[in-house]
Amino acid sequence: LCTPLPMSLQKVHVLPQTVLYIADAETFSGHEECHEQKKARKRNSKETALALEKLLPKRCQVLGLVTPGIVVTPMGSSSNQPQEIEEGEAGFALLFPKIDGVKIHTFHFSKDVKNRVFDESKFADAGLKNNPDLRVVLLFGYNSWKTGATRFLHQIVNPLNEKSIILAGGQVESFTSLSSENNHAQPGDACGVVGLAFSGPQIQSATVLLDQDVADERTAEAAMQRLKAANIPEHNTIGFMFACVGRGYRHYKTKRNMEADAFRKFFPNVPLFGFFGHGEIGCDRIVTGNFVLRECNDIKDDLLHGYTTVMTLIHLGSTK
């Protein structure tokens, strides 16, 4: 970006408007050498977040999350092998440019200790109400161990569950960035929900839930077959995987990368991103091209889970 652009390229908009980055806790709280003291010191997550945001345009919306583990497709080709990195330092950033017909925005709801009931008028301010083009909401709860955190998450999820939209996500350790608020760290005693909302008539999406009974290659691939049957266009599409820390190689009897491998078998050209967290949000749900909701059962979906994996496809429309 420091190189002067030829005149013919100056009107090409390739800068990111929205950024989602996720890293494991070790990446954000690792050690770096402090030359003044000539010894290693522990990095502060706020320092790391600020350093990352300095690399991005000032008007860019940034949502940063810290999680126990990472799911990432390495750069280069979309057909690269997605990797479940359950231990060790890792992270990724998704940079969304301006996309015709698509609006992506961040939001944040924190629990108000004075009010037990969530003020749903805040949904409208976040673009989650009175928005006929809303298609997908990725939700991430933080400080889920706090008293009242699960109840608060239900207050957010239940009204959204009544709409014909895709809901997916999970519980993370913390969020480090939410630049739309100029807020780089949540209060230590607070709990809440952050997320990304995708709006636009061209967006298509589908999710499947891999429950506790999905514990071998055959059943994992059966779940991917359900996702494949949604017939979501695979060009200009991103896959998300939100898994419990109790799954991965421990769940599959020491066989690593099982679910990411199953995804790649059915979606060889769709990059996959996500994390291992402390609880999952999602269900089996499909939004087709004409926006018809199809659910797998007649009862209202329970969206909050443990020891599961949620796989999600988001198609951002055809590119010209």
Side-chain angles (χ1 to χ4, degrees):
L1 296 178
C2 295
T3 306
L5 290 173
M7 289 297 291
S8 60
L9 293 179
Q10 286 186 0
K11 292 185 179 180
V12 177
H13 298 283
V14 293
L15 293 177
Q17 286 202 334
T18 308
V19 173
L20 169 66
Y21 71 81
I22 304 178
D24 69 278
E26 281 300 307
T27 299
F28 265 80
S29 60
H31 290 80
E32 61 182 14
E33 189 172 319
C34 182
H35 294 291
E36 293 176 7
Q37 300 175 352
K38 293 190 176 179
K39 63 179 182 180
R41 70 180 181 91
K42 202 161 189 181
R43 281 199 308 264
N44 171 313
S45 63
K46 185 176 180 179
E47 291 175 348
T48 309
L50 287 169
L52 282 171
E53 289 189 24
K54 284 180 180 177
L55 303 174
L56 299 166
K58 286 187 177 179
R59 294 183 181 180
C60 191
Q61 294 187 102
V62 183
L63 175 56
L65 306 174
V66 174
T67 61
I70 296 294
V71 180
V72 63
T73 300
M75 287 193 312
S77 168
S78 62
S79 61
N80 281 354
Q81 175 72 38
Q83 298 175 15
E84 299 176 17
I85 304 174
E86 299 180 58
E87 297 165 354
E89 295 192 22
F92 66 86
L94 293 177
L95 282 66
F96 296 95
K98 185 179 187 301
I99 305 170
D100 289 341
V102 174
K103 182 179 180 181
I104 306 171
H105 65 268
T106 59
F107 60 86
H108 177 208
F109 304 122
S110 59
K111 184 174 181 290
D112 185 344
V113 293
K114 297 177 183 177
N115 297 315
R116 286 180 58 82
V117 179
F118 177 72
D119 181 2
E120 289 188 20
S121 67
K122 294 179 180 178
F123 282 137
D125 297 335
L128 303 179
K129 190 175 181 181
N130 303 324
N131 178 5
D133 288 332
L134 183 63
R135 296 292 183 266
V136 183
V137 179
L138 299 183
L139 296 160
F140 309 108
Y142 62 87
N143 283 354
S144 58
W145 51 272
K146 295 292 292 185
T147 302
T150 301
R151 183 175 181 274
F152 181 76
L153 183 56
H154 272 289
Q155 290 181 326
I156 304 299
V157 166
N158 290 347
L160 294 175
N161 196 19
E162 296 170 0
K163 303 178 185 300
S164 296
I165 59 176
I166 292 293
L167 296 169
Q171 301 274 17
V172 301
E173 293 197 356
S174 62
F175 78 85
T176 57
S177 299
L178 197 63
S179 56
S180 61
E181 295 185 351
N182 196 26
N183 179 3
H184 293 279
Q186 73 278 11
D189 59 349
C191 61
V193 176
V194 294
L196 286 177
F198 294 77
S199 302
Q202 68 201 43
I203 294 174
Q204 296 183 44
S205 184
T207 62
V208 293
L209 178 71
L210 286 68
D211 63 22
Q212 295 182 49
D213 294 337
V214 177
D216 57 36
E217 190 171 15
R218 179 184 61 81
T219 51
E221 290 187 358
M224 301 309 152
Q225 285 178 317
R226 293 204 309 278
L227 193 58
K228 187 80 171 180
N231 290 320
I232 302 297
E234 292 174 26
H235 178 67
N236 206 23
T237 295
I238 304 169
F240 286 100
M241 173 178 162
F242 305 116
C244 179
V245 289
R247 290 182 73 85
Y249 71 87
R250 298 174 189 84
H251 182 69
Y252 287 102
K253 310 302 181 191
T254 72
K255 184 164 184 180
R256 295 179 180 269
N257 227 62
M258 176 78 81
E259 292 174 346
D261 285 346
F263 179 88
R264 186 172 188 259
K265 180 175 180 178
F266 289 89
F267 303 97
N269 296 307
V270 177
L272 182 67
F273 302 94
F275 59 74
F276 289 88
H278 302 294
E280 302 75 59
I281 302 170
C283 64
D284 275 31
R285 183 173 287 186
I286 297 165
V287 175
T288 62
N290 60 355
F291 207 58
V292 174
L293 181 67
R294 187 167 79 240
E295 298 183 15
C296 290
N297 50 46
D298 294 327
I299 61 173
K300 192 173 183 64
D301 286 312
D302 180 10
L303 294 179
L304 305 184
H305 310 279
Y307 299 101
T308 65
T309 298
V310 175
M311 287 284 189
T312 305
L313 292 176
I314 301 178
H315 171 65
L316 299 172
S318 59
T319 53
K320 295 178 181 177

